[in-house]
Amino acid sequence: MFIPHTESEREEMLKSIGVEKIEDLFAAIPEQHRFPKLGMLHGMTEMEASAQLKEMAEANLSLSNAVCFLGAGAYYHYIPAAIDNLISRGEFYTAYTPYQPEISQGTLQGIFEYQSLIARLTGMDCANASHYDGATACAEAGILAYHQFRGKRKEILVSPGLHPHYQSVMRTYLSDFDGMYMISPTFNSLEDVNPQKLIDAVDENTAMVMVQYPDFFGQIFDFSELAEACHAKGALLCVCVNPIALGLLKTPGEMGADVVVGEGQPLGIPLSYGGPYLGIFATRKELIRKVSGRIVGQTVDNRGQKSYVLTLTAREQHIRREKATSNICSNQGLNALTAAIYLSLLGKEGLREVAGLCYNKAHYAAKKISELKGYEILNPGPFFHEFVVKCPKPVDELQEHLLEHGILGGYDLSGSYPVFENCLLIAVTEMNSKQDIDDLCLVLKGGHHHHEH
Amino acid sequence: MSTKPTTGNEQKTIFELSSAGRRGMRYPKCDVPETELPAGLLREDLPLPELSEADVVRHFTNLSELNYSLDNGFYPLGSCTMKYNPKIDEKLSRLDGFVNVHPLQPIETVQGSLLLMYELQGMLQRVSGMDACTLTPAAGAHGEFSGVKTIVAWHQAQGHDKRKVMLIPDSAHGTNPATSAMSGLVVKPVPTDARGNIDLEKLAPLCNDELAGIMITNPNTLGLFDEHIVEVNEMVHKAGGLVYGDGANMNALLGIARPGDLGFDVMHFNLHKTFATPHGGGGPGSGPICAKAFLADFIPGPVACVLEEETEELPPLYGLKMPEESMGQVRSFWGHFGVMVKAYVYILMEGEEGLRRVSEYATLNANYLMAALKKVYPLPFDRPCMHEFVLEGKLPNAPEVRALDIAKRLMDYKFHPPTNYFPLIVHEALMIEPTETENKQVLDEFIEALLAIAKEAEEDPQLLHDAPLTTPFGRMDEVKAAKDLILTA
């Protein structure tokens, strides 16, 4: 379909190679396996493919036609129009990894600015060019901890408030990893998910303590004492963040975190049924050589111009092979660029505003829901824009009812957490109006809201 | 081409463009009563830049113009498959019903996405001759990790505690050994023979009861199809090992040969290479893996599946499930769905015949370049190549010129350089992969440029050492970057 050769060009080319037909170039392939039938359909034209894809997309319920209170690690935020316009420039999205810095300064400076923005947002010294997503960034943090202690400390102490997918991905990465293992404090209720439990558990075997901020249940804590406790035992503290919350909240850097990871999706990246997203990874400067993934540094060219290159490449797989810090050889380039554009557009005030809207609307929703008969907010302390609601009946029944009213009511916690029977995790962002929240309450109450979406 | 290099091409950073109080984005007033935040949890300062929308748009537009991209010209970067990225893929991947869908929505509300994933899994199985597929891995290296851990999980389930050795040919990408090490395996290299195949004699003693498997890129990074591939795979199987296929070079094999038929047990695809999804300046990619039936329960998940079969009244209900003995989850949620849409559209549009033509013409283009260039540049393995080939960037009459100089000089001819210094087994390697989407004029211009550079190398080697001269930036001081470590503005 996208092959430009004319018949006469093909014949000329074959002639200059010295073969008769294209098939002759494949003699090295065992004959019985050569040119198999694949069992695919005939090719489609652009018009036909467009029609089919449009139909498939319409078979989904788009959040443009619904009210969304679903979060649990992926959040529905407004994406400024300028973002798609800029990342749709072929110069950005059809370029490869910037191995040739002379003709890749756009990508390189973009990453350098992304790193700078993430460092400022998290209060850390530096950041890498990104990992695949929040979960793999957590896993890579665990591997960093392994290297920091040269394999002598094998334990990662994980808060039960870390996203269940992140825990699961960390487990995958750390199984078969020279005896590394994860442990968590006992978890029977939200009261168990707090820094004190981790302070009690950290000891000389702990390589790293992993917490989430806000945690999976929306809770926010000051981890300063936890950081002190970790450092007193020689362990590292890693904080997994939601970057939007950092528009308002005290930074992990201020609290004494050694590593900050996080899911960067809320920074202007569409939900897109789960990906591609963005794995944030920031550290203190002393740890930078243990960080895996791409890092961009500033330098000068041979004409004296300030410019940027991929640096510290000696950590990476193409040089170190089996001794590399990780096998990663890419970053989420275009997603990191998206986050850089998002943070530049919103700036100091814009990000504060979004974070403030999320916070205030979530608290309004929590207050309203807590006033409903049979509903209870389980969060014992401060939370950001997500909270746990104990419901009077099974969540799937409620969800179905909410969906009839065009509302995605939140995440059903009972599936992954037996302790949270009939519990719903509700996220509220700037996309939810007061009316949406009032409608949610009305349907939860068992009534019918007054306008249809 | 004696141009004085330009200067003054530096771009201010967004922080330097910032002006206190300027705004680029405003939000509606808060329509609910405000709640006080606990004071101890507030940050003191938020040191983000302050810019107008126009500032931001101009800044990033200007940055983009410092990039060379596929949309600018020829990008013959070996092993990266820089083929044209169709615009329709971008458009369709941005449909509202794909973009604004939350990964945790009830499956009844995401049947379009699940159908697409289910069908894409089936397409990749057909192309590879495999029985199972998972789309979750985020990139090629991530697919390798998923596949190798699948092999590890399978051995563990069989009680093969001793099998810890992964064999890796010396021509392999650095990701292969790094992946094996991450998966708790011991890496042993296998040499390449004089024809560019895996050395069977050296392989034989390595096929013993410690063998977990072998990771093979076929065609290999020399662009050569291994002439003994079936034999190699049989030797490994006979010794109790499994065969991993690194799909980096699948652009040579679509409709030409299926790894499943050749004896591979599990492999990854790079949707961003083979199926024309854009590289995005380094990502996002997508690295699905396909496996034979006996490994289907061990691959990472979740995978898209049919939960309820079609009935007379109802279409099938698609959903997600975790394979029973899965090696685990490798990423949050279900994978790079946005990338999957693009690959799916590409495969739909190519179809059975189109896919085969892709690999045929990729191979034609590579052989055409190789035939013309080997007259001047040394070709260490001289037999028909597949979709790419490797030259030595070392000319007999220009001893002080290196592959790096040739690569940099190509920029002055408005081409992206080939991959250089890889594979490691070729001295001063220049690895060239034209892909099928380049026309004959472009290839001819590229040949002319490389021939002209060979001449320059003999007559004026300094010109090559100084190159590039016509680009906005010259060669960078990489030592300084690593020494100063300025990583933020």
Side-chain angles (χ1 to χ4, degrees), chain B residues 301-320:
Chain B
V303 296
C305 64
V306 174
L307 287 182
E308 288 170 24
E309 295 291 340
E310 186 176 8
T311 64
E312 267 174 42
E313 301 90 54
L314 291 170
L317 179 71
Y318 297 95
L320 294 160

Side-chain angles (χ1 to χ4, degrees), chain B residues 240-489:
Chain B
L242 300 189
V243 182
Y244 183 83
D246 179 327
N249 291 343
M250 277 305 288
N251 209 44
L253 293 188
L254 306 176
I256 306 295
R258 291 182 299 201
D261 297 343
L262 300 170
F264 288 84
D265 299 302
V266 50
M267 65 170 289
H268 78 263
F269 280 98
N270 300 80
L271 298 187
H272 47 288
K273 295 180 182 178
T274 313
F275 300 113
T277 75
H279 285 71
S286 178
I289 67 170
C290 288
K292 287 282 175 66
F294 75 99
L295 291 174
D297 283 343
F298 296 89
I299 60 177
V303 296
C305 64
V306 174
L307 287 182
E308 288 170 24
E309 295 291 340
E310 186 176 8
T311 64
E312 267 174 42
E313 301 90 54
L314 291 170
L317 179 71
Y318 297 95
L320 294 160
K321 68 157 192 246
M322 203 65 187
E324 261 167 45
E325 298 185 68
S326 176
M327 51 69 83
Q329 195 180 357
V330 293
R331 198 194 162 278
S332 56
F333 308 117
W334 337 126
H336 286 174
F337 180 77
V339 179
M340 296 172 205
V341 178
K342 299 174 197 187
Y344 178 80
V345 172
Y346 179 80
I347 296 172
L348 273 189
M349 288 179 69
E350 291 295 355
E352 175 89 23
E353 301 81 10
L355 289 175
R356 175 168 159 183
R357 273 168 59 87
V358 163
S359 293
E360 287 182 342
Y361 283 80
T363 303
L364 176 72
N365 277 359
N367 278 282
Y368 180 70
L369 287 182
M370 187 175 83
L373 293 171
K374 73 177 183 187
K375 293 173 188 157
V376 175
Y377 290 85
L379 175 68
F381 298 91
D382 190 2
R383 61 176 169 103
C385 66
M386 297 292 284
H387 66 307
E388 68 187 357
F389 60 100
V390 181
L391 297 171
E392 281 177 22
K394 198 82 193 152
L395 296 152
N397 299 324
E400 69 272 49
V401 167
R402 306 188 57 205
L404 183 73
D405 301 317
I406 294 164
K408 298 297 184 195
R409 184 62 180 154
L410 266 171
M411 295 178 194
D412 285 330
Y413 287 84
K414 308 288 175 243
F415 293 112
H416 194 283
T419 299
N420 43 58
Y421 300 100
F422 185 81
L424 307 175
I425 55 169
V426 173
H427 189 52
E428 297 286 321
L430 284 174
M431 184 189 202
I432 299 172
E433 178 180 9
T435 84
E436 73 284 0
T437 57
E438 298 302 328
N439 67 41
K440 183 169 173 294
Q441 284 98 317
V442 170
L443 302 181
D444 287 339
E445 286 165 17
F446 182 69
I447 293 167
E448 276 168 40
L450 269 176
L451 298 184
I453 290 171
K455 222 163 151 224
E456 289 171 349
E458 287 178 26
E459 291 164 3
D460 185 4
Q462 193 55 41
L463 182 64
L464 271 69
H465 298 320
D466 294 341
L469 301 166
T470 62
T471 52
F473 288 84
R475 291 196 199 185
M476 312 284 159
D477 189 341
E478 297 189 8
V479 175
K480 179 181 163 62
K483 198 171 118 257
D484 296 354
L485 274 192
I486 304 172
L487 307 179
T488 55

Side-chain angles (χ1 to χ4, degrees), chain A residues 1-2 44-51, chain B residues 88 91-92 349:
Chain A
M1 185 65 78
F2 303 99
M44 281 185 184
T45 61
E46 183 172 319
M47 283 171 71
E48 291 162 324
S50 298
Chain B
I88 187 66
K91 186 175 173 192
L92 297 179
M349 288 179 69

Side-chain angles (χ1 to χ4, degrees), chain A residues 131-142 210 238 259 261-262 278-281:
Chain A
H131 278 290
Y132 304 130
D133 69 349
T136 53
C138 287
E140 294 281 0
M210 290 280 313
C238 177
V259 179
V261 295
L278 173 69
I280 291 171
F281 202 104

Side-chain angles (χ1 to χ4, degrees), chain A residues 64 133 299 303 306 331 360, chain B residues 10 35 96 282 332 352 471 477:
Chain A
S64 312
D133 69 349
T299 187
R303 307 169 199 168
K306 183 172 87 177
N331 67 332
N360 284 313
Chain B
E10 298 168 348
T35 307
D96 180 56
S332 56
E352 175 89 23
T471 52
D477 189 341

